[in-house]
PDB file of all heavy atoms in Angstrom:
ATOM      1  N   TYR A  97     -17.073   9.410 -19.503  1.00  0.00           N
ATOM      2  CA  TYR A  97     -18.015   8.993 -20.535  1.00  0.00           C
ATOM      3  C   TYR A  97     -17.610   9.726 -21.806  1.00  0.00           C
ATOM      4  O   TYR A  97     -17.571  10.957 -21.820  1.00  0.00           O
ATOM      5  CB  TYR A  97     -19.453   9.367 -20.158  1.00  0.00           C
ATOM      6  CG  TYR A  97     -19.877   8.811 -18.816  1.00  0.00           C
ATOM      7  CD1 TYR A  97     -19.697   9.546 -17.648  1.00  0.00           C
ATOM      8  CD2 TYR A  97     -20.442   7.546 -18.720  1.00  0.00           C
ATOM      9  CE1 TYR A  97     -20.069   9.042 -16.413  1.00  0.00           C
ATOM     10  CE2 TYR A  97     -20.823   7.030 -17.482  1.00  0.00           C
ATOM     11  CZ  TYR A  97     -20.630   7.786 -16.336  1.00  0.00           C
ATOM     12  OH  TYR A  97     -21.005   7.289 -15.115  1.00  0.00           O
ATOM     13  N   VAL A  98     -17.275   8.983 -22.849  1.00  0.00           N
ATOM     14  CA  VAL A  98     -16.862   9.608 -24.105  1.00  0.00           C
ATOM     15  C   VAL A  98     -17.795   9.179 -25.228  1.00  0.00           C
ATOM     16  O   VAL A  98     -18.320   8.068 -25.229  1.00  0.00           O
ATOM     17  CB  VAL A  98     -15.393   9.250 -24.467  1.00  0.00           C
ATOM     18  CG1 VAL A  98     -14.433   9.779 -23.410  1.00  0.00           C
ATOM     19  CG2 VAL A  98     -15.204   7.760 -24.667  1.00  0.00           C
ATOM     20  N   LYS A  99     -17.998  10.089 -26.177  1.00  0.00           N
ATOM     21  CA  LYS A  99     -18.890   9.795 -27.302  1.00  0.00           C
ATOM     22  C   LYS A  99     -18.215   8.935 -28.361  1.00  0.00           C
ATOM     23  O   LYS A  99     -18.895   8.246 -29.097  1.00  0.00           O
ATOM     24  CB  LYS A  99     -19.399  11.096 -27.926  1.00  0.00           C
ATOM     25  CG  LYS A  99     -20.447  11.778 -27.076  1.00  0.00           C
ATOM     26  CD  LYS A  99     -20.804  13.145 -27.596  1.00  0.00           C
ATOM     27  CE  LYS A  99     -21.881  13.138 -28.622  1.00  0.00           C
ATOM     28  NZ  LYS A  99     -22.390  14.508 -28.885  1.00  0.00           N
ATOM     29  N   ASP A 100     -16.891   8.974 -28.412  1.00  0.00           N
ATOM     30  CA  ASP A 100     -16.182   8.236 -29.460  1.00  0.00           C
ATOM     31  C   ASP A 100     -14.908   7.634 -28.880  1.00  0.00           C
ATOM     32  O   ASP A 100     -13.942   8.354 -28.605  1.00  0.00           O
ATOM     33  CB  ASP A 100     -15.859   9.178 -30.618  1.00  0.00           C
ATOM     34  CG  ASP A 100     -15.266   8.468 -31.814  1.00  0.00           C
ATOM     35  OD1 ASP A 100     -14.526   7.471 -31.642  1.00  0.00           O
ATOM     36  OD2 ASP A 100     -15.530   8.918 -32.949  1.00  0.00           O
ATOM     37  N   ILE A 101     -14.905   6.330 -28.709  1.00  0.00           N
ATOM     38  CA  ILE A 101     -13.752   5.654 -28.099  1.00  0.00           C
ATOM     39  C   ILE A 101     -12.499   5.782 -28.962  1.00  0.00           C
ATOM     40  O   ILE A 101     -11.391   5.888 -28.437  1.00  0.00           O
ATOM     41  CB  ILE A 101     -14.069   4.175 -27.763  1.00  0.00           C
ATOM     42  CG1 ILE A 101     -13.017   3.590 -26.812  1.00  0.00           C
ATOM     43  CG2 ILE A 101     -14.212   3.341 -29.015  1.00  0.00           C
ATOM     44  CD1 ILE A 101     -13.013   4.158 -25.445  1.00  0.00           C
ATOM     45  N   LEU A 129     -16.072   4.833 -20.218  1.00  0.00           N
ATOM     46  CA  LEU A 129     -17.106   4.167 -21.000  1.00  0.00           C
ATOM     47  C   LEU A 129     -17.398   4.967 -22.255  1.00  0.00           C
ATOM     48  O   LEU A 129     -17.458   6.206 -22.213  1.00  0.00           O
ATOM     49  CB  LEU A 129     -18.416   4.071 -20.197  1.00  0.00           C
ATOM     50  CG  LEU A 129     -18.317   3.311 -18.896  1.00  0.00           C
ATOM     51  CD1 LEU A 129     -18.299   4.266 -17.738  1.00  0.00           C
ATOM     52  CD2 LEU A 129     -19.454   2.358 -18.798  1.00  0.00           C
ATOM     53  N   ALA A 130     -17.599   4.279 -23.362  1.00  0.00           N
ATOM     54  CA  ALA A 130     -18.073   4.920 -24.587  1.00  0.00           C
ATOM     55  C   ALA A 130     -19.595   4.878 -24.541  1.00  0.00           C
ATOM     56  O   ALA A 130     -20.186   3.835 -24.250  1.00  0.00           O
ATOM     57  CB  ALA A 130     -17.546   4.192 -25.814  1.00  0.00           C
ATOM     58  N   VAL A 131     -20.215   6.023 -24.801  1.00  0.00           N
ATOM     59  CA  VAL A 131     -21.671   6.123 -24.745  1.00  0.00           C
ATOM     60  C   VAL A 131     -22.206   6.623 -26.087  1.00  0.00           C
ATOM     61  O   VAL A 131     -21.485   7.252 -26.854  1.00  0.00           O
ATOM     62  CB  VAL A 131     -22.125   7.065 -23.603  1.00  0.00           C
ATOM     63  CG1 VAL A 131     -21.720   6.489 -22.244  1.00  0.00           C
ATOM     64  CG2 VAL A 131     -21.557   8.460 -23.763  1.00  0.00           C
ATOM     65  N   ALA A 132     -23.468   6.347 -26.332  1.00  0.00           N
ATOM     66  CA  ALA A 132     -24.086   6.743 -27.596  1.00  0.00           C
ATOM     67  C   ALA A 132     -24.219   8.253 -27.708  1.00  0.00           C
ATOM     68  O   ALA A 132     -24.056   8.821 -28.790  1.00  0.00           O
ATOM     69  CB  ALA A 132     -25.458   6.086 -27.741  1.00  0.00           C
ATOM     70  N   ASP A 133     -24.503   8.921 -26.601  1.00  0.00           N
ATOM     71  CA  ASP A 133     -24.674  10.366 -26.641  1.00  0.00           C
ATOM     72  C   ASP A 133     -24.611  10.938 -25.233  1.00  0.00           C
ATOM     73  O   ASP A 133     -24.673  10.201 -24.250  1.00  0.00           O
ATOM     74  CB  ASP A 133     -26.010  10.729 -27.289  1.00  0.00           C
ATOM     75  CG  ASP A 133     -25.957  12.059 -28.033  1.00  0.00           C
ATOM     76  OD1 ASP A 133     -24.959  12.806 -27.893  1.00  0.00           O
ATOM     77  OD2 ASP A 133     -26.915  12.353 -28.775  1.00  0.00           O
ATOM     78  N   LEU A 134     -24.477  12.241 -25.145  1.00  0.00           N
ATOM     79  CA  LEU A 134     -24.512  12.979 -23.889  1.00  0.00           C
ATOM     80  C   LEU A 134     -25.638  14.006 -23.985  1.00  0.00           C
ATOM     81  O   LEU A 134     -26.086  14.341 -25.087  1.00  0.00           O
ATOM     82  CB  LEU A 134     -23.162  13.658 -23.627  1.00  0.00           C
ATOM     83  CG  LEU A 134     -21.969  12.704 -23.492  1.00  0.00           C
ATOM     84  CD1 LEU A 134     -20.648  13.467 -23.524  1.00  0.00           C
ATOM     85  CD2 LEU A 134     -22.088  11.886 -22.225  1.00  0.00           C
ATOM     86  N   VAL A 135     -26.086  14.510 -22.854  1.00  0.00           N
ATOM     87  CA  VAL A 135     -27.239  15.412 -22.847  1.00  0.00           C
ATOM     88  C   VAL A 135     -26.993  16.663 -23.688  1.00  0.00           C
ATOM     89  O   VAL A 135     -27.838  17.065 -24.480  1.00  0.00           O
ATOM     90  CB  VAL A 135     -27.635  15.781 -21.403  1.00  0.00           C
ATOM     91  CG1 VAL A 135     -28.700  16.860 -21.389  1.00  0.00           C
ATOM     92  CG2 VAL A 135     -28.124  14.549 -20.663  1.00  0.00           C
ATOM     93  N   GLU A 136     -25.828  17.280 -23.519  1.00  0.00           N
ATOM     94  CA  GLU A 136     -25.498  18.476 -24.300  1.00  0.00           C
ATOM     95  C   GLU A 136     -24.922  18.040 -25.645  1.00  0.00           C
ATOM     96  O   GLU A 136     -23.901  17.340 -25.687  1.00  0.00           O
ATOM     97  CB  GLU A 136     -24.499  19.362 -23.558  1.00  0.00           C
ATOM     98  CG  GLU A 136     -25.047  19.978 -22.293  1.00  0.00           C
ATOM     99  CD  GLU A 136     -26.180  20.953 -22.548  1.00  0.00           C
ATOM    100  OE1 GLU A 136     -26.200  21.618 -23.613  1.00  0.00           O
ATOM    101  OE2 GLU A 136     -27.053  21.059 -21.675  1.00  0.00           O
ATOM    102  N   PRO A 137     -25.546  18.423 -26.751  1.00  0.00           N
ATOM    103  CA  PRO A 137     -25.107  17.956 -28.072  1.00  0.00           C
ATOM    104  C   PRO A 137     -23.643  18.244 -28.405  1.00  0.00           C
ATOM    105  O   PRO A 137     -22.995  17.455 -29.088  1.00  0.00           O
ATOM    106  CB  PRO A 137     -26.037  18.691 -29.045  1.00  0.00           C
ATOM    107  CG  PRO A 137     -27.251  19.010 -28.238  1.00  0.00           C
ATOM    108  CD  PRO A 137     -26.751  19.248 -26.836  1.00  0.00           C
ATOM    109  N   ALA A 139     -21.155  18.370 -26.261  1.00  0.00           N
ATOM    110  CA  ALA A 139     -20.239  17.702 -25.328  1.00  0.00           C
ATOM    111  C   ALA A 139     -19.645  16.454 -25.966  1.00  0.00           C
ATOM    112  O   ALA A 139     -20.351  15.645 -26.557  1.00  0.00           O
ATOM    113  CB  ALA A 139     -20.967  17.340 -24.038  1.00  0.00           C
ATOM    114  N   LEU A 140     -18.332  16.300 -25.810  1.00  0.00           N
ATOM    115  CA  LEU A 140     -17.617  15.130 -26.320  1.00  0.00           C
ATOM    116  C   LEU A 140     -17.201  14.197 -25.195  1.00  0.00           C
ATOM    117  O   LEU A 140     -16.865  13.044 -25.440  1.00  0.00           O
ATOM    118  CB  LEU A 140     -16.388  15.582 -27.116  1.00  0.00           C
ATOM    119  CG  LEU A 140     -16.672  16.510 -28.298  1.00  0.00           C
ATOM    120  CD1 LEU A 140     -15.367  17.002 -28.916  1.00  0.00           C
ATOM    121  CD2 LEU A 140     -17.547  15.812 -29.324  1.00  0.00           C
TER     122      LEU A 140
END
Side-chain angles (χ1 to χ4, degrees):
Y97 304 91
V98 297
K99 286 172 87 168
D100 187 326
I101 195 68
L129 300 104
V131 296
D133 211 350
L134 299 168
V135 172
E136 294 295 329
L140 302 174

